[in-house]
Amino acid sequence: MDVLNDGHELHPMHLRVISLLLLIYLVFTSFWPISALYLVWLIFDWDTPERGGRRFTWLRKWFVWRYFRDYFPVQLVKTHDLHPSQNYIIGSHPHGILCIGAFCNFITESTGFFEKYPGIRPFLATLGGNFRMPFFREYLMSGGLCPVTRQAIGYLLSRNGTGNAVAIVIGGAAESLSCQPGIATLILKNRKGFVRMALQHGAHLVPSFSFGENELFRQVVFKEGSWMRNIQERCRKLLGFSPCLFYGRGLTSVHSRGFLPFPRPITTVVGEPMTVPKIEDPSHETVDLYHGKYIRSLLKLFNEHKARYGFLETDELRIL
């Protein structure tokens, strides 16, 4: 499968093993007829995630998301209009540990995305391997998530009309390893697949930054070249995610330790769309040109809002 960002897809053999084990478990229960029917459904519905998915509006509006939003709280800040006559790729930064800001703003309707951007349908791209897991795939599609593959994103940008905005967490699992409170480090310098996709489909590029995303957990960050960091990198390449040693708050109080995120404000600022021409086969030079423009636009967004949302005026955005 063609993957937009290298290292973000489970190996096909691993997917088959996981799916097979789950289906075997389901078959050897008293509800095996339901399992059998679902297996038939899964065979015929296997490629649906690559063709725009299947979202349910009621799930995006579920009242639970309001409590989820208010726990941190999470808010969405609009700086420019997005016109329904265009398609967009929204770069979401940083990854953090769980991408709470991207999920809350682009998958749920709790922060008013549709009111701020009327006529725009948001999608959030995630690991393609997640859509090979029985039942879990249905939940992901129902909220508007899609695989971070060229086929899935290309479908939304070329065969689903206009007014589509696909949010991609560019840094991915590699970026989560550098997640620390008060530090803004992005893995972006060599991530150019999203720019090539934008050029091929004429989709405008939009930078976004979730201030506070890195404040939700405390992580043990291992130095580059250390044996623990090497293990994390190997797992990322093999499984598509990086095992991180982190902690948050516990169930009893904010002062206890556990795995709940700390209640810290997250503010996702969506920047100005960058016009991109449609070029079916863009050259490396053209991709580099627009990748550079995107980075400058992202830096401008960060610098204009950093002092308002938790950073100092002297803090800089580090791009690796």
Side-chain angles (χ1 to χ4, degrees):
M1 182 176 292
D2 194 13
V3 182
L4 189 60
N5 290 320
D6 295 336
H8 286 69
E9 181 67 87
L10 291 176
H11 191 279
M13 181 57 69
H14 301 146
L15 298 177
R16 294 190 189 101
V17 172
I18 293 171
S19 299
L20 181 61
L21 289 175
L22 182 55
L23 288 172
I24 289 175
Y25 171 78
L26 292 172
V27 167
F28 290 100
T29 67
S30 58
F31 299 102
W32 69 265
I34 298 177
S35 303
L37 288 173
Y38 181 75
L39 178 58
V40 173
W41 162 260
L42 194 62
I43 293 172
F44 286 98
D45 195 58
W46 190 254
D47 293 328
T48 297
E50 304 285 347
R51 299 195 298 264
R54 182 175 47 250
R55 67 167 63 197
F56 298 128
T57 303
W58 67 267
L59 185 61
R60 298 174 63 90
K61 296 181 178 179
W62 197 19
F63 72 94
V64 170
W65 300 131
R66 296 197 299 271
Y67 296 101
F68 180 83
R69 172 200 64 195
D70 294 340
Y71 170 81
F72 298 96
V74 182
Q75 66 171 325
L76 178 67
V77 175
K78 170 186 174 181
T79 62
H80 294 78
D81 289 331
L82 299 183
H83 298 287
S85 60
Q86 299 289 338
N87 284 325
Y88 302 90
I89 290 180
I90 301 177
S92 180
H93 311 273
H95 183 284
I97 297 294
L98 295 177
C99 303
I100 296 294
F103 176 84
C104 191
N105 287 299
F106 302 129
I107 293 303
T108 79
E109 295 188 21
S110 61
T111 57
F113 184 95
F114 283 92
E115 288 75 22
K116 292 180 172 67
Y117 301 101
I120 301 296
R121 294 182 297 275
F123 298 85
L124 178 61
T126 185
L127 293 173
N130 292 332
F131 295 87
R132 304 312 182 197
M133 296 292 289
F135 299 107
F136 186 53
R137 68 192 290 275
E138 317 299 339
Y139 166 73
L140 294 179
M141 286 192 292
S142 67
L145 285 99
C146 69
V148 62
T149 62
R150 297 186 188 279
Q151 182 178 346
I153 296 173
Y155 182 96
L156 292 172
L157 297 178
S158 64
R159 301 177 62 185
N160 198 47
T162 59
N164 301 292
V166 182
I168 303 174
V169 186
I170 309 297
E175 195 170 275
S176 65
L177 297 179
S178 302
C179 170
Q180 297 183 73
I183 298 177
T185 301
L186 305 183
I187 305 297
L188 180 59
K189 188 175 296 184
N190 295 318
R191 298 292 174 94
K192 302 177 182 180
F194 72 103
V195 177
R196 182 173 295 276
M197 285 288 293
L199 286 163
Q200 289 173 337
H201 299 282
H204 294 185
L205 286 170
V206 185
S208 72
F209 196 94
S210 292
F211 294 91
E213 185 73 48
N214 287 347
E215 311 296 321
L216 305 183
F217 294 96
R218 300 293 183 267
Q219 180 183 189
V220 179
V221 178
F222 300 100
K223 293 182 179 180
E224 293 285 347
S226 65
W227 66 275
M228 277 299 297
R229 188 59 173 258
N230 290 336
I231 291 176
Q232 289 177 315
E233 290 292 348
R234 286 173 180 261
C235 289
R236 179 181 65 84
K237 293 178 181 179
L238 184 65
L239 302 175
F241 66 90
S242 302
C244 302
L245 294 180
F246 66 90
Y247 68 90
R249 58 158 292 181
L251 290 172
T252 56
S253 73
V254 293
H255 302 293
S256 61
R257 291 191 178 186
F259 293 102
L260 290 176
F262 290 109
R264 301 287 188 269
I266 303 174
T267 303
T268 300
V269 183
V270 180
E272 181 178 5
M274 189 177 81
T275 303
V276 174
K278 184 176 181 179
I279 305 174
E280 291 187 6
D281 187 20
S283 64
H284 293 297
E285 293 75 16
T286 302
V287 173
D288 289 343
L289 173 65
Y290 282 93
H291 184 260
K293 289 184 177 181
Y294 176 83
I295 290 179
R296 289 192 292 274
S297 181
L298 176 62
L299 288 170
K300 180 174 180 288
L301 177 73
F302 177 81
N303 290 326
E304 287 179 349
H305 295 87
K306 62 184 180 182
R308 189 179 307 172
Y309 299 119
F311 286 89
L312 301 176
E313 285 288 358
T314 55
D315 288 336
E316 295 183 356
L317 183 60
R318 185 184 179 203
I319 296 179
L320 302 179

